[in-house]
Amino acid sequence: MSVFNESVPLEEPLFILENGETYRNPTEVKMSQIVLPCHATHCNELSAGQLLKWMDTTACLAAERHAGCPCITASVDDIHFEQTISVGQVVNIQAKVNRAFNSSMEVGILVSCEDLFSGKQWRICKAFATFVARRTDSGKVQLKQIIPKTQEEQLEYSIAAERRRMRLIHAEIMKDLLSSGTILNECSDCQEYKDAVPAEKTRVESVELVLPPHANHQGNTFGGQIMAWMENVATIAASRLCNAYPTLRTIDMFHFRGPSEVGDRLLLKAIVNNSFKNSMEVGVCAEAYQSGKPLRHINSAFLNFVVLDDGQPRSLPRIKPEPMDGIRRYREANARKKIRLDRKYIVSCKQTEVPLSVPWDPSNQVYLSYNNVSALKMLAAKRNWVLNSEQNKVSLYTLEEDNFLLFKAEMTVNVSAEQVFFLLSDLRRRHEWDNHYQKCDIINLVDDDDIIYHVVTPSTGKGSLPQDFILLASRRRPCDKGDPYVIALRSVTLPTHPSTEHYTRSEVLCAGFTIWEESDCVTKISYYNQATPGILPYIATDIAGLSSNFHDIFTVCSKFLEENREGASVTNL
């Protein structure tokens, strides 16, 4: 269905606090711009570069509203443009700070388009940018913490820590992928394509003089302005490959390596790194210099274009890379395509669109771990849980949503949160308190935070086989004071461990624990599970009130934690 056929609610409704006051996020900034011909391309569509400038400006104002001092753009996560915007339509941009760390903060940006004649609205993109507060005369700025109040704010605040973790290891993912041999060198095959276009033909070099209108009130070049100039040269390079007008679809995550200022000459270089069936990647490098001074690397970015015929991407010519650096760029483009697919397949899709079991391999581990933890945090952020029963200080809640039955078990124990985390993290000991776990073995100790287990559970009925699961367990310590410990579980598939005739292979979509420290020796434990057909038989009688099996299990769990708290330590993991 076309997005133009119906209005889409794009903004969170005003939130009413318990005291009756209307709440609006204090960091929120909105910008609305009508698209004029001077903002548009030859197709009467808004230039992606102009949109990036508006997005950066709005996000910067939100960051500065929270920091109370000048801020600069440090990085921008992947941006996927879902639609184009035409002349005469209105661009609405909403930005707010999701979470502040020490001197940096994540700003969420939502871009929508509005047709003034029909009143319809639709989403263009959602992005996350990191801004850093500039040092003052008194030294480094220590940002105040965000206090989330709505369900959406609490969710974004919680998942922001996971996104930050992924940004910090982004370069390592690329390095590991290239060195692992996962990305095959296809350059020799490419040389044989009859119509392959030499990459050198697409090379573009252009210079821009940074003037006061291009800079902020501190004299630094707007990050959005640099992105706009980079988009311009990238579009030219893409056009030289396809001999047509390309449409920008995505921009990969990038970091600003250093500042630029008024008076700089900005040297922009672009070349098509690789072309795929119906898309191409263009690499762009921005360097700054002033008279008599060496070049300074400001930024490198990778933009992905398509050429649309009647709204559908058309096939593109293949590229013939240059020797040495050209072949390196070609291979790296293959790696980035793999990363993009992993992000789109695992990270970006809605929870209801994620397959139960995703194939695990070292190259997508980071994204599976991110999805595992963020999915559990999404469950924990949900409201309207219905208390189903309460026995032995264990409360069982249910929630029906999006064709899923969700359930939560909650209890409080007189054990420190850190000790609870250590004891519950080791699934090999779960059989000591959970009779649903008959056997649990480690398949792969991925790293300090992630382990893959093979779990065997009892049969669910007479004549049926025991069930088994391949589970990825991802655990996280609190990022800041007030955050919970997290142990997230989800099914994955491994080629080394296919289903066998001895067990019925079942799957877990999302399950795990959040562990909250209420005092030095009092901890609240919440267990969540998004019930799948393989899990439902174990909980159906409890939900129906016909048994108290789950209450009994968590009562035993409480006793297990209290009896083993003295032996809990890091070495147990």
Side-chain angles (χ1 to χ4, degrees), residues 313-386:
R314 81 178 193 195
S315 298
L316 297 175
R318 297 305 298 260
I319 198 80
K320 181 179 179 180
E322 305 167 272
M324 304 298 291
D325 281 348
I327 293 175
R328 173 186 58 80
R329 289 193 298 266
Y330 186 95
R331 291 185 66 240
E332 290 176 352
N334 283 335
R336 280 185 290 270
K337 183 182 180 184
K338 169 72 166 62
I339 291 173
R340 279 193 296 275
L341 289 174
D342 285 340
R343 281 174 173 264
K344 182 178 180 180
Y345 185 53
I346 299 170
V347 175
S348 302
C349 49
K350 298 176 183 177
Q351 196 59 29
T352 53
E353 297 171 351
V354 179
L356 290 184
S357 284
V358 176
W360 180 92
D361 65 62
S363 67
N364 70 4
Q365 161 57 27
V366 171
Y367 307 114
L368 277 172
S369 180
Y370 168 91
N371 174 268
N372 197 12
V373 174
S374 60
L376 181 63
K377 289 183 174 182
M378 290 172 69
L379 274 189
K382 291 185 183 297
R383 297 179 177 178
N384 303 319
W385 290 93
V386 177

Side-chain angles (χ1 to χ4, degrees), residues 73-76 222-224 226-227 230 254-258 298-299:
T73 314
S75 67
V76 180
F222 280 117
I226 296 174
M227 288 187 279
M230 295 175 80
F254 61 87
H255 300 262
F256 285 94
R257 299 172 182 265
I298 302 300
N299 187 14

Side-chain angles (χ1 to χ4, degrees), residues 210-484:
V210 181
L211 300 173
H214 303 140
N216 60 22
H217 42 289
Q218 299 298 311
N220 292 116
T221 314
F222 280 117
Q225 179 62 70
I226 296 174
M227 288 187 279
W229 283 332
M230 295 175 80
E231 186 271 339
N232 177 61
V233 294
T235 301
I236 297 172
S239 299
R240 288 179 176 173
L241 174 69
C242 60
N243 296 322
Y245 294 110
T247 299
L248 179 62
R249 269 291 175 254
T250 63
I251 302 176
D252 287 0
M253 179 190 295
F254 61 87
H255 300 262
F256 285 94
R257 299 172 182 265
S260 169
E261 58 191 27
V262 172
D264 277 346
R265 282 71 171 168
L266 213 62
L267 183 62
L268 302 145
K269 302 175 183 177
I271 191 170
V272 176
N273 292 331
N274 202 340
S275 61
F276 308 102
K277 182 178 179 181
N278 49 25
S279 67
M280 69 188 100
E281 180 195 277
V282 181
V284 187
C285 175
E287 298 173 310
Y289 68 94
Q290 293 193 5
S291 298
K293 296 182 180 180
L295 287 170
R296 309 188 314 273
H297 187 187
I298 302 300
N299 187 14
S300 290
F302 303 97
L303 295 80
N304 298 276
F305 292 85
V306 297
V307 177
L308 299 177
D309 282 340
D310 296 326
Q312 297 299 317
R314 81 178 193 195
S315 298
L316 297 175
R318 297 305 298 260
I319 198 80
K320 181 179 179 180
E322 305 167 272
M324 304 298 291
D325 281 348
I327 293 175
R328 173 186 58 80
R329 289 193 298 266
Y330 186 95
R331 291 185 66 240
E332 290 176 352
N334 283 335
R336 280 185 290 270
K337 183 182 180 184
K338 169 72 166 62
I339 291 173
R340 279 193 296 275
L341 289 174
D342 285 340
R343 281 174 173 264
K344 182 178 180 180
Y345 185 53
I346 299 170
V347 175
S348 302
C349 49
K350 298 176 183 177
Q351 196 59 29
T352 53
E353 297 171 351
V354 179
L356 290 184
S357 284
V358 176
W360 180 92
D361 65 62
S363 67
N364 70 4
Q365 161 57 27
V366 171
Y367 307 114
L368 277 172
S369 180
Y370 168 91
N371 174 268
N372 197 12
V373 174
S374 60
L376 181 63
K377 289 183 174 182
M378 290 172 69
L379 274 189
K382 291 185 183 297
R383 297 179 177 178
N384 303 319
W385 290 93
V386 177
L387 179 61
N388 191 273
S389 58
E390 189 171 13
Q391 294 181 33
N392 302 325
K393 298 182 181 180
V394 177
S395 301
L396 181 62
Y397 300 83
T398 57
L399 178 64
E400 292 186 54
E401 187 177 89
D402 295 331
N403 299 318
F404 285 105
L405 175 64
L406 318 176
F407 72 92
K408 173 175 72 168
E410 203 162 71
M411 65 180 180
T412 301
V413 296
N414 295 320
V415 183
S416 74
E418 188 172 37
Q419 290 170 324
V420 170
F421 177 65
F422 290 145
L423 288 167
L424 295 184
S425 287
D426 190 351
L427 296 191
R428 293 172 299 177
R429 299 194 65 180
R430 186 156 168 174
H431 70 277
E432 296 181 39
W433 57 269
D434 186 352
N435 56 22
H436 292 153
Y437 272 54
Q438 286 187 335
K439 183 181 177 184
C440 182
D441 298 314
I442 291 179
I443 296 175
N444 189 344
L445 185 61
V446 180
D447 54 35
D448 291 340
D449 295 323
D450 296 277
I451 301 175
I452 300 176
Y453 293 93
H454 179 232
V455 176
V456 177
T457 64
S459 62
T460 57
K462 186 177 180 180
S464 62
L465 293 171
Q467 296 192 106
D468 74 335
F469 301 80
I470 306 297
L471 296 182
L472 170 66
S474 303
R475 52 200 180 194
R476 300 287 188 272
R477 289 174 166 274
C479 181
D480 286 318
K481 188 175 182 180
D483 285 348

Side-chain angles (χ1 to χ4, degrees), residues 66 97-104 142-148 157 480-481 483:
H66 178 70
V97 179
N98 291 331
R99 184 162 186 162
F101 300 97
N102 293 322
S103 59
S104 68
Q142 180 69 40
L143 294 171
K144 60 186 178 183
Q145 292 300 305
I146 291 289
I147 302 176
Y157 177 90
D480 286 318
K481 188 175 182 180
D483 285 348

